[in-house]
Amino acid sequence: MALGPDIRVSTLHSPPILRRAVAPCTLRRGYAGNLLRRGGFVGLTRHWRGNAVRDENAIAGKGEKSMLGAFSEEDEDCSDGSEEESSGEEEDFGFGEFRFASDDGAEEGADDASEELDSFAERARRIDDLCAKVAQGKQISSADLIGLYSFRLDKFQRLAIEGFLKGSSVVVSAPTSSGKTLIAEAAAAATLAKCKRLFYTTPLKALSNQKFRDFRKIFGDSSVGLLTGDVSINRDAPIVIMTTEIMRNKFYLSAGNEDVLQDLDVVVLDEIHYISDLTRGTVWEETVIYCPKRIKLVCLSATIANPDELAGWIAKVHGPTELITSYRRPVPLTWHISRRSQMLPLLNEKGTAINRKLLIDKKQLEEVNSRKIRGRISTLEKMTEEQLQVLLRVQVPRISDTLKQMVERTMLPAIWFILSRRRCDEAVQYLQHANLLAEDEFQQIDLALKSFREQYPDAIREAAVRPLYQGVAAHHAGCLPLWKSFIEELFQKGLVKVVFATETLAAGINMPARTTVLSSFSGKYQRRISANVVLQMAGRAGRRGIDKEGHVVVVQTPFRGPEECYKMLRTGLEPLVSQFTATYGMALNLLEDSAVESETLSSEQRQSFGEARSLIEQSFGNYIGSEILTGARAKMVQISSEIETLESGQSTDSLSKLYEEKINEFNKMREKVETQERKERSLRFKFERHRLSFLQSQLKQLSLEQVPYVLLTYEDINTGEGHTLSVAVFHMTENNPFILGVNENHEPKVEDMDASFIGVGCDSFLYRFPLKVVRKVYRSTIGAEERTALKSNLADVQWEIVGNDNVSRCQSSFPPHGYEVPVPNTLTSECAMPEELVTAEKLLLMQQRSLGKWSRRLAEIDEVEIDNLVAKVKQMREEKVARLKAKLERIGKRIKGMQPSGWKEFLQVVKILKDAGAMDRNTHKLLPLGEIARAIRGSNELWLAIALRDEALLSLKPSELAAVAAALVTESPKSIPDNEYRTIYEPSAVVKEWVEKMQSERLWLYGLQENHNVEFACDLDPQLAGFVEAWAAGVNWKELEIEDIMDEGDFARLLRRTIDLLSQIPHLPHIDSELSKIAKEAARNMDRPPISEPVGE
């Protein structure tokens, strides 16, 4: 079924089989560039092979390449975390969410920019019609839900609606600002029409409050409720927006009692990628694990690297799940780099590589040289880090430079992300004379400010008022919630043109902008954030139905140039990871009334340790871990095979193979020479045999008629000089035997039985020599009768060895004999060689020439270098074998010791609960302390339960109890700066006394946790307790002068956390009614402006 190039639907059934995609594909020339210009996306994703996967023109690849890595001119095969109450392998989608700088501004495939979104009122009317239709007994179809909207829905929205109407859970992964909330609205409409209930959770209070307001506009005030711990509005409504902790606790309570949630039909988990959040990820996993399987999950996520693993896990632990992924933005994005002198596109026109105009050139090099630091630079390669920073620093734009560039290109309104509250505020003050507003907008700001000041006088951020009249504001966790809400409202109305914000604004808050600016997100002294967050911040740009394209402006920094920005974006997204951790609350809820030795409780009322373990081992991390285990075993097989290959003498890495090619080339050459040498020896052996036989036979024959001449050659034994002379042979041994063999070098060797020949040389000396030194035989004119006369002079001859092969010479000249022996060059009448000998000589000469050619080529190769390469390859092979064996051992140990994570920690937590008196050691039944800890919400439930059970709290006043609660929820110690010119609000003596007394309890619990290798913070910090006590006693906001100590927003969150804890006390078991009364009064006294949450209209 054709769905489009950017949608993927996978239907999963428990348990799914997850595999890595390895299917190849081909990317057509020019196709990627066209997609970029259209705002489309080619995704390198993994999928489940064997499951239903519908995806038209989607590209499945290995997941290791980036988006940009898939684009080519040729055909190519594709084989601030503390600011809010959260932290702030196709492994890579690169720029997948975005459209890049291009001259073509056309937008294809998305809704028309001129298309207007329907109003809340009109949608509410259609929902009423849907409810009336269902009341008549008709079934809800996807067309009914799609018909709620006056505009055309995107394919991923329609497919998600179809999925949950079929009864499946759905996981939707789509770009930021692409319209995922519409899916939740449609699910809420269907649920409401069926008279069922829907729970909706988000990771941030501000986002929950915003969804609460929006849903009330659509579904009516009576149909929507809100539960955020310290705020409870219409808690029994059919649609309830709540915190994840409250939802998780409701699922705990429903265990074994389905009637508790019998009307609940759908749970929406918005921003489910917060499952990777270090501090709150466990709660999100618990929510999925403990949610009754009959309830459909609608999981909404920004684009993530591993949506298949997330959906596969949900399918395994919850039930049939459909995965819908979309990578096309309805409003494409163009990326820019802002420098002091200009703003340039990040990518080239084809969108395939970095814009070359952004690279360092010679002109910029001269700017560095003009600065005269550590001398001049001749080439870019010689540039030091300091010199590079100088070059980058001169290109860093001022805030006004970047703002001017955006104004000239009509890029406002903009969200300007800076990862520092202080720098956000400084930027606002820097632009307090920017004058970005028209006269009518100025008047609207003035009226809005006067109205806000009248309603919330203490919430006014006075330092931000003057810039606000210029259209500039800051939005970060240091601001009061009421002020942030006010800024959001002004921004949505177009009255604020530039908002300087930290990264927490990227998490779903409805503040659509034409442009997002990323400033100093990777500086030298800037805390680093993940690519996921950077891409989510960038995704805030582009207003659907308003802008034809959005813009992302990356500001040049002194420490990072466009290359680093390009590289970071090209690297792509990071996968979701599990943060699952066993907690006291988890253990107490899972083992509530387990009473494993009791026979009086029914199985429905009891969860055994086995059942608890089964639930814990269903964590996201264990699901991925099972895949890792399979992969680890496959890796062991691969490593073992590689070790075997290496030990057999073969190499497996490219460098060793390159070395081996050179070695093999040398060895082949040497083998060729050796072959030529063997052939030459064979021919020489053959030739020498024929030659010696011929010489011997000729000498025998001629000696019958005459004294023959021979030409002999030898080397002087002293000087090595060669000698050639002619000799008249007059004596030879009978038969003149010789032996033809081979020497130690396998060369032909002639061994005469003795020195067979004696003759007179042309130098008048007598010579004695063997046959082997004879080269030629000549006829002579000396008759045979002269031989006897010559022999008669041999009796007194003294021989001296003068040459090799025992060539000897007499010590004096031979007596005159009446004739002269011709010198060698005058010899004539050579005995003709037979044809067989001539042929053998020709073959030998030819072979010797061939051998010489190959020997010269071999000599050109440096044998020392080859020997070094041989040793190096051997060493590399041995070292790699050692590394692989060590790796094999590590993997083996890991597999051997691998057990599902979470269970071991869970057992340690249970031991602490028993030692602390929260659980019976034998029956595991919860004791009063455990029941209090089970019912409470907090980072350390056991510590809070211990503290709240102290009877001394009964004698406290409401303000004093508030101070105690504040000390228990202050997350980390803060040093209050000394200032003699302001008032310090110290906690009352009774609060100090209580804190001092609880220090011993705190240290005792820390020691107990340490004994069991468990780490949970036991907060007890009274530094701000005096200020909380003053607020609870009625001191107004201005009198507190809290801004001298900390940001107002931080103190407001401390007060809200204090109210949350106080609000829980009346609902805890085994709590004295008097303490409940005091807690209610304290919470009521504290919950007033300007810290009130802006939850309603």
Side-chain angles (χ1 to χ4, degrees):
M1 175 180 177
L3 299 177
D6 61 327
I7 309 296
R8 183 160 64 97
V9 178
S10 303
T11 302
L12 296 92
H13 299 278
S14 178
I17 300 176
L18 179 62
R19 300 178 183 174
R20 305 289 182 184
V22 294
C25 63
T26 301
L27 186 63
R28 300 191 300 277
R29 184 195 302 268
Y31 181 57
N34 292 335
L35 280 175
L36 286 173
R37 284 186 281 274
R38 296 204 315 262
F41 171 71
V42 178
L44 301 178
T45 64
R46 291 176 293 203
H47 63 281
W48 289 279
R49 300 172 67 88
N51 289 294
V53 178
R54 299 179 289 167
D55 186 358
E56 178 186 299
N57 296 331
I59 294 180
K62 292 182 179 179
E64 300 301 328
K65 286 188 177 182
S66 71
M67 172 67 178
L68 294 179
F71 297 158
S72 173
E73 289 298 310
E74 302 296 331
D75 290 344
E76 186 171 327
D77 288 336
C78 300
S79 3
D80 130 40
S82 63
E83 294 199 332
E84 294 287 355
E85 294 185 4
S86 66
S87 68
E89 333 173 155
E90 128 217 310
E91 301 292 346
D92 160 14
F93 301 115
F95 296 92
E97 300 183 34
F98 311 108
R99 176 182 181 271
F100 304 102
S102 170
D103 294 332
D104 185 357
E107 179 185 357
E108 298 178 22
D111 297 333
D112 245 338
S114 61
E115 195 172 62
E116 300 242 354
L117 302 180
D118 55 349
S119 67
F120 285 127
E122 178 62 22
R123 206 177 311 163
R125 185 190 62 78
R126 293 171 183 162
I127 291 173
D128 289 340
D129 293 342
L130 177 63
C131 292
K133 175 182 177 180
V134 175
Q136 296 173 3
K138 298 181 181 180
Q139 296 294 319
I140 300 176
S141 66
S142 59
D144 292 328
L145 297 181
I146 294 172
L148 297 175
Y149 303 90
S150 60
F151 52 87
R152 183 175 180 271
L153 271 60
D154 287 340
K155 289 181 180 179
F156 83 91
Q157 295 168 328
R158 298 198 300 271
L159 291 169
I161 290 173
E162 293 172 1
F164 70 71
L165 283 180
K166 290 187 300 184
S168 296
S169 295
V170 294
V171 174
V172 181
S173 174
T176 303
S177 302
S178 60
K180 296 184 292 293
T181 301
L182 181 145
I183 299 167
E185 291 177 2
T191 304
L192 191 64
K194 294 187 296 184
C195 298
K196 296 289 186 179
R197 301 189 73 195
L198 175 143
F199 288 171
Y200 192 119
T201 187
T202 76
L204 303 175
K205 266 189 181 181
L207 186 55
S208 295
N209 294 336
Q210 186 179 86
K211 297 300 181 185
F212 174 67
R213 294 192 294 269
D214 291 346
F215 273 41
R216 289 179 74 180
K217 293 176 183 177
I218 300 172
F219 301 106
D221 293 357
S222 62
S223 297
V224 183
L226 178 67
L227 287 175
T228 60
D230 56 336
V231 176
S232 177
I233 301 174
N234 200 13
R235 60 186 306 130
D236 296 323
I239 301 171
V240 184
I241 289 87
M242 62 181 66
T243 64
T244 318
E245 287 81 3
I246 292 178
M247 184 182 293
R248 184 271 317 271
N249 287 353
K250 286 185 176 292
F251 292 154
Y252 275 147
L253 294 173
S254 69
N257 187 1
E258 291 289 331
D259 293 339
V260 175
L261 300 174
Q262 60 179 347
D263 294 330
L264 182 60
D265 187 50
V266 177
V267 166
V268 178
L269 300 173
D270 199 358
E271 309 285 346
I272 195 173
H273 50 269
Y274 266 77
I275 203 169
S276 283
D277 185 84
L278 183 62
T279 59
R280 301 180 65 207
T282 296
V283 178
W284 286 80
E285 290 195 47
E286 287 181 283
T287 301
V288 174
I289 294 171
Y290 306 141
C291 180
K293 297 185 185 301
R294 61 174 179 79
I295 297 172
K296 295 183 290 292
L297 298 178
V298 176
C299 306
L300 308 178
S301 172
T303 307
I304 54 177
N306 56 338
D308 47 2
E309 293 179 348
L310 176 64
W313 169 65
I314 293 175
K316 182 175 182 179
V317 304
H318 189 73
T321 301
E322 286 195 0
L323 169 64
I324 298 97
T325 58
S326 174
Y327 307 110
R328 182 187 65 83
R329 287 184 52 86
V331 181
L333 293 189
T334 301
W335 285 74
H336 311 268
I337 295 291
S338 174
R339 288 178 168 173
R340 174 164 294 189
S341 59
Q342 60 184 334
M343 180 182 290
L344 294 171
L346 176 62
L347 298 185
N348 60 17
E349 292 184 358
K350 295 181 179 180
T352 57
I354 192 170
N355 184 357
R356 293 184 61 85
K357 294 181 180 179
L358 294 171
L359 302 178
I360 299 174
D361 55 26
K362 292 183 179 179
K363 182 178 180 181
Q364 295 169 339
L365 200 60
E366 293 173 359
E367 295 185 49
V368 179
N369 289 330
S370 67
R371 300 262 166 172
K372 298 181 180 179
I373 61 167
R374 297 190 181 180
R376 297 178 60 84
I377 311 165
S378 58
T379 63
L380 298 179
E381 290 75 10
K382 296 181 180 180
M383 186 179 295
T384 66
E385 183 69 22
E386 183 180 356
Q387 291 166 333
L388 177 60
Q389 287 185 16
V390 171
L391 175 54
L392 294 176
R393 190 174 291 112
V394 299
Q395 298 172 341
V396 174
R398 295 166 298 188
I399 294 176
S400 56
D401 296 330
T402 302
L403 180 59
K404 180 181 178 182
Q405 294 163 0
M406 292 193 295
V407 170
E408 290 173 348
R409 293 165 175 78
T410 63
M411 290 183 174
L412 301 183
I415 300 175
W416 198 311
F417 288 103
I418 303 178
L419 306 184
S420 163
R421 303 180 194 178
R422 178 182 57 81
R423 293 186 61 199
C424 284
D425 293 336
E426 290 174 349
V428 169
Q429 296 303 315
Y430 184 81
L431 294 181
Q432 61 178 319
H433 302 294
N435 193 20
L436 301 176
L437 300 179
E439 182 61 31
D440 62 324
E441 293 173 327
F442 183 93
Q443 296 300 328
Q444 293 180 60
I445 287 283
D446 187 54
L447 290 174
L449 263 172
K450 289 178 180 178
S451 176
F452 186 81
R453 187 183 295 274
E454 182 179 350
Q455 189 174 4
Y456 306 111
D458 291 339
I460 289 286
R461 192 176 174 88
E462 295 295 347
V465 170
R466 183 171 181 176
L468 191 58
Y469 278 107
Q470 306 300 312
V472 182
H475 185 292
H476 53 71
C479 304
L480 286 171
L482 286 171
W483 180 256
K484 287 196 296 181
S485 180
F486 177 58
I487 297 301
E488 293 167 13
E489 183 180 350
L490 294 179
F491 190 85
Q492 292 165 11
K493 292 179 179 180
L495 300 178
V496 173
K497 305 301 181 182
V498 179
V499 167
F500 291 92
T502 53
E503 75 274 18
T504 52
L505 185 59
I509 303 299
N510 184 24
M511 287 183 64
R514 177 171 295 169
T515 302
T516 56
V517 183
L518 308 180
S519 177
S520 300
F521 62 88
S522 59
K524 182 176 181 181
Y525 302 108
Q526 195 71 47
R527 58 186 172 84
R528 297 187 178 273
I529 57 176
S530 68
N532 295 31
V533 176
V534 172
L535 296 178
Q536 194 170 14
M537 290 190 295
R540 304 303 300 173
R543 298 167 296 180
R544 187 167 191 171
I546 301 175
D547 300 322
K548 288 189 176 181
E549 67 176 348
H551 302 274
V552 182
V553 178
V554 179
V555 180
Q556 173 79 60
T557 76
F559 307 103
R560 295 292 184 271
E563 297 91 344
E564 287 78 13
C565 172
Y566 172 80
K567 181 179 179 181
M568 186 203 70
L569 294 175
R570 188 177 182 271
T571 300
L573 298 167
E574 300 170 0
L576 297 182
V577 295
S578 175
Q579 302 292 351
F580 191 84
T581 304
T583 65
Y584 295 122
M586 179 193 301
L588 292 166
N589 277 282
L590 289 179
L591 299 177
E592 179 202 7
D593 294 331
S594 59
V596 293
E597 296 184 2
S598 174
E599 302 296 334
T600 61
L601 297 175
S602 65
S603 59
E604 291 81 5
Q605 296 173 304
R606 182 168 74 229
Q607 278 188 303
S608 69
F609 263 74
E611 291 169 332
R613 179 170 187 169
S614 175
L615 288 172
I616 289 174
E617 292 179 355
Q618 292 181 32
S619 71
F620 182 44
N622 283 328
Y623 172 78
I624 298 177
S626 64
E627 299 298 319
I628 293 175
L629 184 60
T630 301
R633 287 171 175 159
K635 189 67 175 178
M636 290 187 70
V637 174
Q638 177 187 342
I639 293 174
S640 299
S641 176
E642 189 172 358
I643 291 174
E644 185 177 348
T645 300
L646 290 168
E647 289 182 336
S648 68
Q650 303 178 53
S651 295
T652 58
D653 61 280
S654 57
L655 183 59
S656 295
K657 288 180 179 179
L658 179 62
Y659 290 161
E660 284 190 344
E661 286 179 5
K662 294 182 178 180
I663 295 171
N664 290 337
E665 181 182 356
F666 172 78
N667 289 335
K668 288 180 180 178
M669 186 73 67
R670 186 163 57 184
E671 184 178 344
K672 182 71 174 178
V673 170
E674 290 174 351
T675 301
Q676 294 292 319
E677 287 176 342
R678 287 194 297 271
K679 188 174 182 180
E680 190 270 345
R681 286 194 297 268
S682 175
L683 291 173
R684 185 150 45 92
F685 191 93
K686 183 177 181 181
F687 169 75
E688 194 72 9
R689 185 175 64 248
H690 286 298
R691 185 183 73 84
L692 293 175
S693 297
F694 165 73
L695 291 175
Q696 190 177 49
S697 64
Q698 288 297 310
L699 285 171
K700 283 184 178 181
Q701 183 179 354
L702 290 174
S703 64
L704 297 175
E705 303 173 0
Q706 56 186 260
V707 175
Y709 295 145
V710 298
L711 185 69
L712 65 86
T713 62
Y714 69 92
E715 292 181 0
D716 191 289
I717 61 171
N718 295 316
T719 65
E721 182 181 358
H723 295 278
T724 302
L725 71 156
S726 51
V727 177
V729 179
F730 61 83
H731 173 76
M732 65 183 70
T733 303
E734 188 68 23
N735 296 327
N736 300 310
F738 68 91
I739 299 173
L740 186 62
V742 293
N743 61 13
E744 64 274 8
N745 295 322
H746 303 283
E747 296 178 341
K749 178 182 179 181
V750 178
E751 297 179 355
D752 291 298
M753 297 301 293
D754 54 23
S756 305
F757 302 94
I758 299 176
V760 181
C762 58
D763 58 356
S764 299
F765 282 90
L766 283 179
Y767 284 89
R768 184 173 64 182
F769 54 90
L771 180 65
K772 63 189 297 184
V773 298
V774 177
R775 292 295 173 258
K776 294 182 180 181
V777 177
Y778 297 87
R779 297 181 184 278
S780 74
T781 58
I782 304 175
E785 60 275 10
E786 300 292 334
R787 180 181 294 112
T788 303
L790 292 172
K791 285 184 178 181
S792 63
N793 297 308
L794 296 177
D796 299 326
V797 172
Q798 299 294 319
W799 297 103
E800 177 186 9
I801 298 177
V802 295
N804 60 311
D805 297 310
N806 292 319
V807 174
S808 303
R809 186 177 64 180
C810 64
Q811 295 178 356
S812 60
S813 299
F814 194 69
H817 43 74
Y819 55 85
E820 294 181 357
V821 178
V823 296
N825 57 357
T826 61
L827 291 174
T828 58
S829 303
E830 179 183 357
C831 296
M833 292 188 299
E835 187 65 27
E836 184 180 13
L837 183 58
V838 172
T839 301
E841 185 179 34
K842 288 181 179 180
L843 291 175
L844 176 61
L845 291 175
M846 290 174 60
Q847 182 59 33
Q848 287 176 338
R849 285 194 294 269
S850 177
L851 174 61
K853 179 185 72 174
W854 286 103
S855 297
R856 286 190 297 272
R857 291 179 62 181
L858 180 62
E860 293 174 357
I861 301 176
D862 188 349
E863 291 193 37
V864 175
E865 179 184 357
I866 296 299
D867 291 340
N868 292 337
L869 287 179
V870 171
K872 190 169 186 177
V873 169
K874 181 180 179 181
Q875 180 183 359
M876 291 172 63
R877 191 179 296 130
E878 291 173 350
E879 290 176 351
K880 188 168 185 179
V881 168
R883 289 196 305 269
L884 289 174
K885 287 183 176 180
K887 186 174 182 179
L888 193 66
E889 184 178 359
R890 289 195 304 269
I891 296 176
K893 288 181 178 179
R894 183 183 178 191
I895 291 177
K896 185 177 180 180
M898 186 177 288
Q899 62 176 334
S901 63
W903 180 244
K904 181 179 179 180
E905 294 80 1
F906 180 86
L907 294 179
Q908 296 300 102
V909 167
V910 171
K911 291 178 182 179
I912 294 175
L913 290 170
K914 292 178 179 179
D915 292 345
M919 181 183 295
D920 187 276
R921 291 184 178 276
N922 298 318
T923 66
H924 302 90
K925 183 178 180 62
L926 302 192
L927 301 177
L929 178 62
E931 292 182 347
I932 297 175
R934 171 184 170 272
I936 206 166
R937 298 186 308 275
S939 59
N940 189 326
E941 302 91 342
L942 180 59
W943 167 239
L944 291 177
I946 292 172
L948 294 178
R949 285 199 73 198
D950 187 60
E951 294 182 356
L953 299 180
L954 297 175
S955 62
L956 298 182
K957 299 176 183 178
S959 59
E960 295 169 342
L961 182 60
V964 166
L968 292 172
V969 298
T970 300
E971 293 178 343
S972 60
K974 299 178 177 66
S975 297
I976 300 177
D978 294 329
N979 189 333
E980 60 179 322
Y981 298 107
R982 66 168 176 80
T983 303
I984 295 291
Y985 289 92
E986 293 284 349
S988 59
V990 67
V991 173
K992 291 182 178 180
E993 182 181 343
W994 184 86
V995 169
E996 184 65 26
K997 184 185 72 170
M998 292 304 297
Q999 286 291 358
S1000 59
E1001 294 286 332
R1002 180 169 174 258
L1003 293 175
W1004 168 81
L1005 183 55
Y1006 268 131
L1008 187 59
Q1009 291 182 158
E1010 184 178 356
N1011 291 339
H1012 294 285
N1013 296 316
V1014 172
E1015 294 184 13
F1016 292 117
C1018 302
D1019 296 324
L1020 187 64
D1021 182 7
Q1023 289 192 84
L1024 296 171
F1027 290 88
V1028 176
E1029 184 176 352
W1031 176 254
V1035 175
N1036 66 45
W1037 191 258
K1038 297 299 182 184
E1039 292 174 336
L1040 285 176
E1041 298 180 356
I1042 196 66
E1043 65 273 10
D1044 292 335
I1045 302 173
M1046 60 193 302
D1047 286 339
E1048 293 178 316
D1050 289 333
F1051 187 60
R1053 273 192 306 282
L1054 172 59
L1055 295 177
R1056 297 310 310 183
R1057 288 197 298 270
T1058 302
I1059 294 173
D1060 185 13
L1061 180 56
L1062 292 170
S1063 300
Q1064 293 184 60
I1065 292 176
H1067 304 287
L1068 299 177
H1070 308 291
I1071 292 296
D1072 192 282
S1073 59
E1074 183 61 25
L1075 182 60
S1076 297
K1077 180 180 177 181
I1078 299 171
K1080 287 180 180 179
E1081 183 177 353
R1084 185 168 57 250
N1085 293 342
M1086 293 180 66
D1087 194 4
R1088 67 185 195 272
I1091 70 163
S1092 302
E1093 295 282 355
V1095 295
E1097 286 295 311

